[in-house]
Amino acid sequence: MATYVYRCDTDGPVDVPLPMGTAPSSLPCPRCAREAVRLFCPPRVSTGSRRIVEAIDRAERSRDAPEVVTRVPGAGARRPPVATATNPLTRRLPRP
Ligand SMILES: [Zn+2]
């Protein structure tokens, strides 16, 4: 999916998500149903992964309004227990 921009005489620029390569030169405005003409600009293409999009949005928000924390992230968190070898043959091997 890509987001294309159309200009409606009543509503101004309107974003319309359409499959790539299927954007007509004009279509009915999704707000008022009048004819909207496509503005020729590069389509905004989604990266596909919602996690990536959320991370990018969070990074962009932090430019103007960084999140305020009261403690160091991760401090006080309990570490997971270290896995121990259960096989007696591998107990003497060096550990990282
Ligand atoms: Zn409209």
Side-chain angles (χ1 to χ4, degrees):
M1 286 296 246
T3 302
Y4 296 92
V5 181
Y6 287 81
R7 178 175 299 281
C8 172
D9 290 338
T10 306
D11 301 315
V14 179
D15 293 343
V16 179
L18 293 169
M20 290 285 291
T22 63
S25 59
S26 66
L27 52 69
C29 173
R31 296 181 188 160
C32 67
R34 292 184 181 175
E35 183 177 1
V37 180
R38 181 178 173 197
L39 298 178
F40 286 94
C41 56
R44 293 182 301 222
V45 180
S46 171
T47 56
S49 171
R50 191 171 61 175
R51 286 185 172 181
I52 293 174
V53 171
E54 289 173 357
I56 292 171
D57 289 344
R58 192 177 321 117
E60 289 180 357
R61 275 195 313 268
S62 70
R63 291 181 193 160
D64 299 327
E67 294 180 14
V68 178
V69 296
T70 57
R71 64 180 177 89
V72 177
R78 188 172 179 195
R79 292 180 143 197
V82 177
T84 57
T86 56
N87 187 339
L89 298 175
T90 60
R91 286 186 183 158
R92 292 185 179 176
L93 293 175
R95 304 284 174 217

